[in-house]
Amino acid sequence: MTQTATTFRRMKDLPSTHLLGTGTPMCAGCGGLEALHQIYDVLGEKTVFVNAAGCMTLLSVYPFTPFRGSWLYTAMASAPAGAQGIRDALDILREKKGLPPEEDLEVVVLTGDGAAYGMGLSATSGAMERDLDFIYICYDNEGYGNTGQQYSGATPHAARTATSKGAHGFAGYKKDLFSIWAAHRPTYVATVIGAEPLDLARKIETARDLEGPRLIIALAPCPTGWDYDPRESVAIGKLAVRTGVWPLKEYRDGRIQHTRVPRERVPVEEYLKKQGRFAHLFEPERDETLLQELQAKVDAYWDSVEVQGG
Amino acid sequence: MYRIRFHGRGGQGMKTASRILGSAFFEAGYEVQDAPRYGAERRGAPIFAYVRAAREPINERGIIQRPDLVIVADDTLVAVPAAGVLAGVSARSVLLINSRDAAEVWRHRLNIDGPIVTLPVNTGVEDRAELPWIGASCAGAAARLVGVLPRQALVHAIETELGGLGDDVVGHNLENALAAWELMAPQYGLASEGGEPRAQEYQRPDWADLAFETARISAPTIYAAANSVEVRTGLWRTLRPVIDYSRCNRCWWVCSTFCPDGAISVDKDGQPRIDYDHCKGCMVCVAQCPPHAIAAVPEHQAQAEEAQPADIPGDPP
Ligand SMILES: Cc1ncc(C[n+]2csc(CCOP(=O)(O)OP(=O)(O)O)c2C)c(N)n1
Ligand code: SF4
């Protein structure tokens, strides 16, 4: 893997002033907003955000916006198509109207997992097929957060959602969006999380300095949808990584690299225990079968990573 | 018709409270409407829920403008303009405030003549794990205040509405709701039904008429950068993070990076500074600070301390 020199070598190198405006209507403790403010600090203000319907639509409610550049709202399935329109317009301005390169903007799609893993997948596939020069940020709160946490294609097995309330929670399995995206062979795909800011900053820096389709999935602990005290957002995010539930990795030049391999993985139940959406796995009695199944899936993932050597 | 309005913060279970009360009315044979109002704001922000109950079919719709009973789950909301707690309150509206302060204190503070009742449960919000239980207490208290609901209707409503969440949750909610029910015994029937509004009393809502305009004007563009700072989300806070600078290691990259809202900046000496106009009080910084230099202080306590005149040594008394 070609390791480009990074400005983010230590935590100290992270930005100490923040570009994204405060005063947004996201929930107190929102893990998606945490990731977004870190991402925005690295991408900078020469960006246009294209936002599909979801929690983050509420960032820019007239007459307020936390962004320093433009923002466009699209229907849930069509943010990558909106990005294509903006990219084309910018290209025309550059070619025909003499827009100087330093005034060019980076087009950034911002959607939840409902759009990214489901409704918007076809539009994203098309954008990659056309080799669109854009960045896609999916904040993955594992459900339709804005409308009350119904399940989505990103909901993990056994989680309780507004539409999976039975004794065993959600019967389906989280889609592997990273692999689906990487199978299109775009320029760059990465997973990040706000609880690991250095890893996040390096990956956003990498994405920023490349061209073509660059897609990022940020696991977004969601106090409201996952049912935990907002103060736990970062602790839960760190556990997602240390238990191996959320592998931090990147795809580039046809290869997948894990940027953090938790050598001694914390048992998955430490992560599950902290969230009300998994409470039925522990009360009124432990659901040994489901707990073992969830652990086994994570173990199998990391076994296969070791076989592939990284 | 009873017109009942709930005020709380996202996360305090006001939607559930309104459903419990609505179901209790329904059990008792009433026609019922219960609905939360969804706004752009989330956990921590002001939330509204409404219950209408009548013996006749209900033709009224929408938000409740003239409430017979107003329930305030969190007394810090009274001072928040966006919460509109006192909107449409008349001399016959009953105000039920969950507060450690006495009803007399509130009467003086608000300068209103109508009946005020206080319900002292989980005030101060030192332990947010207790927050979701406030809803049941509010529903229990409201059920007693209206004076037409049998205890059994309340019990049934809680069992029906919360049954899916397991016996423990139902048990805990029942306990809280019934405790509040008992507490309100002396005020049984204090809240009465409001009459039907009469056409003569109709007042035009105080909104502005907008002319039909071209798309450029009616689909406006924001030209300002990061003007969301004009919104004071600090008002959502029930707990305040306070840094003890004598213990702070100046590893600002921890709190400043993790703060979801980006409300912690770093001054030129490398000290983190919390922007209380915008900190929503999630307490992520408190949980993550390596030397535990940030304390979670209940907002009411922090405000009371601020209101005290500073003790300057050597100053004349
Ligand atoms: C086609 C369409 N269907 C439904 C909706 C209603 N809707 C608005 S936001 C939302 C949830 C989106 O979920 P997700 O993409 O995961 O984002 P989150 O809300 O979690 O931020 C839904 C269903 C819509 N806007 N468009
Ligand atoms: S519902 Fe979840 S993702 Fe949406 S704003 Fe709230 S915490 Fe963030």
Side-chain angles (χ1 to χ4, degrees), chain B residues 159-214:
Chain B
E159 287 167 355
T160 322
E161 289 298 332
L162 305 175
L165 299 173
D167 293 345
D168 282 0
V169 175
V170 171
H172 199 152
N173 276 289
L174 270 178
E175 199 180 301
N176 286 12
L178 293 175
W181 166 274
E182 290 309 331
L183 220 56
M184 290 298 125
Q187 281 90 7
Y188 177 77
L190 187 62
S192 56
E193 285 185 80
E196 291 307 309
R198 293 189 312 181
Q200 294 96 299
E201 287 164 9
Y202 176 77
Q203 281 172 338
R204 271 183 99 243
D206 135 46
W207 58 43
D209 280 322
L210 288 180
F212 189 76
E213 280 162 323
T214 59

Side-chain angles (χ1 to χ4, degrees), chain B residues 75 78 97 99 101-110 116 118:
Chain B
D75 62 0
V78 177
I97 310 181
S99 175
D101 294 338
E104 273 320 303
V105 175
W106 282 106
R107 179 177 314 289
H108 179 69
R109 216 175 258 163
L110 303 175
I116 300 181
T118 53

Side-chain angles (χ1 to χ4, degrees), chain A residues 196 235 237-246 260 262-267:
Chain A
E196 295 293 344
K238 285 184 173 167
L239 274 172
V241 175
R242 289 173 48 211
T243 53
V245 165
W246 187 245
R260 182 76 57 87
R263 288 292 166 209
E264 270 174 30
R265 290 195 304 277
V266 173

Side-chain angles (χ1 to χ4, degrees), chain B residues 1 33 56-61:
Chain B
M1 185 190 324
Q33 270 178 16
E56 306 292 314
I58 301 173
N59 295 318
E60 232 172 72
R61 296 288 184 273

